Amino acid sequence: MRWFTEVGRKTIHLSAILIPIGYYFTSEAVGRSFLVTATAIVFLIDVVRLNQPRVRTFFFIFFGRLVRDHERYNLLGATYLLLSSLICVYAFEKPIAVAALAFLIVGDSVAALVGKAIGRIRIFGKTLEGSLACFAVCMGIGLVIPELTWTRALVGAAMATLIELLPVPLDDNLRIPLAAGFAMTLVP
């Protein structure tokens, strides 16, 4: 994938930061209602895209360059991001859900961009430089959320970085926030 295509994908990915920020500053009921609705709509559109050739063709005319090969006949990363957001807001305390989603949205994007720009040391097909950038950003995010302890921020950032790095055959939009959220839940 070319650099400008990756930047385009990550720009869209970073715009999803509005999800945890919006959830943080609204009531849990409003945030959850919004996510249920948005997830249902996006999931439905994605299922129609996968099952209707005309819709799939129309979709790829406009968004084809931004879609990864494995997404052509599977759910899009955006659908997984909304599904994980929905799970997080119901499974975790609000500050943990916000941090876990921000770790995914910002940490994963920074890891990819730094890894592609300056990464040299390869680990599991990713780069050490990208992983270090991911950890630094996630730790920073954890520390700016006042309700999170330093320990939770550290454990969540470490887990998000580890899960982003490892070649687990589950979409990272699901595995990063869920793993980081569960890890933060286990520590005081």
Side-chain angles (χ1 to χ4, degrees):
M1 185 176 294
R2 294 182 167 196
W3 171 250
F4 64 87
T5 302
E6 187 66 17
V7 170
R9 283 186 55 81
K10 293 309 173 186
T11 300
I12 293 168
H13 194 67
L14 283 169
S15 69
I17 195 65
L18 295 173
I19 295 169
I21 290 173
Y23 181 61
Y24 185 80
F25 289 109
T26 62
S27 70
E28 286 187 5
V30 169
R32 288 174 174 176
S33 295
F34 170 79
L35 279 171
V36 166
T37 305
T39 303
I41 291 168
V42 169
F43 186 77
L44 179 62
I45 290 169
D46 214 4
V47 169
V48 169
R49 173 189 67 88
L50 290 171
N51 290 290
Q52 297 298 317
R54 278 200 255 161
V55 174
R56 188 170 44 246
T57 301
F58 177 80
F59 183 86
F60 286 113
I61 288 171
F62 290 99
F63 302 108
R65 289 184 9 182
L66 298 174
V67 175
R68 292 207 167 117
D69 288 340
H70 72 272
E71 293 174 323
R72 289 192 180 272
Y73 299 101
N74 293 299
L75 294 176
L76 295 169
T79 304
Y80 282 115
L81 188 142
L82 282 168
L83 287 168
S84 68
S85 297
L86 189 60
I87 294 167
C88 283
V89 301
Y90 280 98
F92 308 128
E93 300 168 18
K94 188 183 239 186
I96 290 174
V98 168
L101 292 170
F103 291 171
L104 163 66
I105 294 162
V106 183
D108 181 52
S109 296
V110 168
L113 294 173
V114 169
K116 288 193 184 305
I118 64 169
R120 301 289 177 263
I121 303 168
R122 293 260 177 220
I123 305 170
F124 301 119
K126 307 243 176 139
T127 67
L128 176 62
E129 297 85 352
S131 292
L132 292 173
C134 178
F135 177 77
V137 167
C138 290
M139 190 65 195
I141 289 166
L143 293 176
V144 300
I145 298 174
E147 300 89 348
L148 285 185
T149 63
W150 187 89
T151 307
R152 277 189 168 169
L154 177 65
V155 167
M159 182 59 78
T161 302
L162 179 65
I163 296 299
E164 191 278 330
L165 175 67
L166 294 175
V168 177
L170 178 65
D171 192 280
D172 61 352
N173 291 317
L174 273 175
R175 70 179 190 238
I176 292 171
L178 296 179
F182 282 117
M184 287 186 283
T185 300
L186 296 175
V187 296

